[in-house]
């Protein structure tokens, strides 16, 4: 049996970059691994700051909640009412974030969608 790190995963093309997600009006949220806060992410702002080729896959940023020193990771959904996919691929990164980044963790978005495990494709 292969180790978890040796398995090649697939990602849909629309998740390849922030520009691709913006073109299809995908929804993006950030979630803090420490305080469990979820915030809406405006893709226009990300594209303006980092360019259309920027990827949110395995990207960690600082939490924006006052007093929180945690790290945020990103989730994406193709449209309203669809499942959220966590944009984490690296097993070591997932393990370092703890149970919040776990694929089975419930998503408290209020939109009735669930988190699906990471799926990476070309």
């Amino acid at each position: 049996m292969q180790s978890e790190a040796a398995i090649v995963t697939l990602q849909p093309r629309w998740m390849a970059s922030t520009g691709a997600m913006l073109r299809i009006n995908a929804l993006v949220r950030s979630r803090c691994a420490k305080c469990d806060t979820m915030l809406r992410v405006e893709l226009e702002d990300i594209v303006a700051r980092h360019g259309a080729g920027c990827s949110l896959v395995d990207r960690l940023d600082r939490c924006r909640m006052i007093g929180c020193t945690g790290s945020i990771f990103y989730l994406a959904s193709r449209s309203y009412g669809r499942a959220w996919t966590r944009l984490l691929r690296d097993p070591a990164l997932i393990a370092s974030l703890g149970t919040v980044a776990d694929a089975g963790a419930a998503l408290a978005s209020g939109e009735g969608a669930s988190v699906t495990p990471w799926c990476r494709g070309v």
Side-chain angles (χ1 to χ4, degrees):
M1 177 170 263
Q2 292 181 338
S3 70
E4 197 174 309
I7 297 173
V8 176
T9 56
L10 302 173
Q11 167 190 330
R13 288 185 193 268
W14 64 269
M15 288 185 192
S17 68
T18 53
M21 289 191 280
L22 184 60
R23 278 191 293 280
I24 67 160
N25 293 321
L27 306 171
V28 178
R29 302 286 185 263
S30 65
R31 186 170 186 181
C32 180
K34 185 173 183 179
C35 69
D36 203 28
T37 299
M38 285 191 61
L39 297 172
R40 179 179 298 136
V41 174
E42 299 297 334
L43 282 171
E44 294 87 355
D45 294 341
I46 300 287
V47 170
R49 281 187 278 146
H50 303 289
C54 172
S55 175
L56 298 178
V57 177
D58 287 340
R59 182 184 175 106
L60 298 179
D61 288 314
R62 294 183 65 188
C63 181
R64 294 183 179 234
M65 295 301 291
I66 295 172
C68 182
T69 58
S71 296
I72 61 165
F73 60 95
Y74 295 93
L75 300 115
S77 177
R78 193 169 175 106
S79 66
Y80 289 102
R82 295 192 116 174
W84 290 89
T85 303
R86 62 190 170 110
L87 301 179
L88 292 174
R89 178 179 157 213
D90 183 13
L93 187 61
I94 295 168
S96 72
L97 290 174
T99 58
V100 173
D102 185 22
L107 182 65
S109 68
E111 296 176 5
S114 61
V115 175
T116 58
W118 172 247
C119 180
R120 186 176 174 102
V122 178

